[in-house]
Amino acid sequence: MERIGDDMMFEEILSRLPAKVVCQFKCVCKQWCYELSTPKFVLIHTRRLSNLLQKKLLSLNEHTIVVDDIVSGNLEVDTRKIVTFPYDVQPSRLIIIGSFNGLILLCIRRTDANELVLWNPTIRRFKLISDDYFSRYFGRHDDTGGMYVDEHNDLKVLHINCFAGAVTARVYSRHNDSWRKLSFLKGCLFGSSFYSWSHGIYSGKTIYFTVSNYWIPPGECNIVAFDVICESFSILRFPERIQVNPCQVHFLTISDRLHGIVVRYSDELTAELVKYEHDDWITVFSFTNARIVQQLDPQQRTNIIQDNKWLVTSIWGDTVEVLLCNDSFNYIQHVDSFNGPKGALFLETIVSPF
């Protein structure tokens, strides 16, 4: 043990253990508790976990919050566990905004004021981060956001609110425990009630959102990109071949690359998996056997694989099922992250919301 040294012990051995086991080892002695709580160890531990094919799926049901095991993209049967939210509130009043490094960002919808909570369900720690600004009503398509870590290892929470035709962007700093306002795109109409914002997905130092408007023909689907380095917004356009009305696009990351699930509602229902690469969208797989299934509760199961079938939950509440071949199954099993209003993929980490 003396020849191994502390660096080898903590950074090369203990950093490979599951999060719950690391929490148990914190009880060995004060030194271990300190070493296993340093930002350096937490960062190394989280990076090792992100390379595994084992994830967790948190789902908000009407009266319960459940967690399922996801292994290689597959939903493992008989692994469901019920978890308790730290606040006395019905899960039906919760909305998931984002998932990042084991933390879940949720909004509690209340009749008087809404609250924003950072929650790590693995270590059961949480933090209320909302301020007086959140007294406005939180709507599913009116508010969105995401999370990221800056160059100083400070966890940031991006919150976007659409109210009275205007878009307000704010960012929260875990280190400073405070909010500040950001400049948004001038002259755009994305704050209008005609536009629907997706939840943000983090990929390559950027958080991506889809902003869709299909109320006014011929309809449009835009991408709003937030650069986490310079904290600025830009607009990306989908290729015309994707801009088919009506259609919907849901972002996810596979092998740390931004992908999109495109579901078209034209003469026949079709689904397509596209990848963003070199400033262009490349078709990875096309699925002509897509169909809408009715037996699942809307938004309770977001983008999972069961029995070689991929279940994709749309922003309109439909659950679309596509059959997977061997190639598409092997590709999709490397999914890293996705989230919807009632479900999110997450890692079991020791990252603290404080």
Side-chain angles (χ1 to χ4, degrees), residues 99-311:
S99 171
F100 183 77
N101 285 353
L103 293 175
I104 307 292
L105 180 64
L106 303 104
C107 177
I108 305 175
R109 295 192 298 179
R110 301 189 186 274
T111 55
D112 51 350
N114 297 289
E115 297 174 318
L116 205 61
V117 178
L118 271 177
W119 178 39
N120 186 327
T122 304
I123 61 176
R124 301 180 181 180
R125 300 199 68 184
F126 66 95
K127 183 179 184 181
L128 183 67
I129 64 173
S130 52
D131 55 11
D132 295 339
Y133 178 84
F134 289 87
S135 60
R136 294 177 178 174
Y137 176 77
F138 184 101
R140 176 184 162 196
H141 297 306
D142 299 329
D143 290 61
T144 186
M147 293 178 282
Y148 60 98
V149 174
D150 67 10
E151 64 272 18
H152 304 294
N153 200 31
D154 183 16
L155 177 72
K156 299 289 187 67
V157 175
L158 173 67
H159 177 256
I160 297 175
N161 172 262
C162 301
F163 184 77
V167 177
T168 301
R170 303 167 78 227
V171 65
Y172 170 84
S173 166
R174 180 178 61 178
H175 181 266
N176 298 326
D177 191 25
S178 62
W179 290 87
R180 60 184 173 86
K181 189 175 180 179
L182 301 175
S183 298
F184 191 70
L185 301 167
K186 294 182 179 180
C188 72
L189 303 176
F190 293 159
S192 166
S193 59
F194 292 109
Y195 287 92
S196 295
W197 285 71
S198 73
H199 293 72
I201 194 77
Y202 179 88
S203 176
K205 303 297 182 181
T206 304
I207 301 178
Y208 297 91
F209 305 87
T210 60
V211 186
S212 306
N213 174 14
Y214 290 117
W215 293 99
I216 302 178
E220 60 179 291
C221 188
N222 305 281
I223 304 173
V224 173
F226 176 72
D227 188 318
V228 304
I229 303 299
C230 59
E231 294 186 334
S232 62
F233 293 90
S234 61
I235 299 177
L236 305 177
R237 296 290 182 181
F238 278 112
E240 291 185 1
R241 62 182 179 83
I242 295 181
Q243 294 262 24
V244 177
N245 187 24
C247 81
Q248 47 126 348
V249 181
H250 189 97
F251 284 150
L252 71 160
T253 60
I254 300 176
S255 299
D256 294 326
R257 297 292 185 91
L258 179 66
H259 289 68
I261 308 166
V262 182
V263 179
R264 296 183 177 89
Y265 297 79
S266 52
D267 295 335
E268 61 177 349
L269 183 66
T270 60
E272 187 178 11
L273 180 67
V274 296
K275 177 174 65 173
Y276 189 61
E277 191 172 63
H278 305 303
D279 298 328
D280 193 14
W281 290 95
I282 301 171
T283 300
V284 182
F285 293 103
S286 296
F287 308 97
T288 58
N289 51 11
R291 70 183 186 93
I292 296 178
V293 293
Q294 306 293 341
Q295 66 267 27
L296 296 179
D297 294 331
Q299 297 144 353
Q300 300 305 307
R301 286 287 177 263
T302 308
N303 303 344
I304 63 170
I305 301 173
Q306 281 184 291
D307 302 324
N308 287 335
K309 298 175 182 178
W310 195 17
L311 302 177

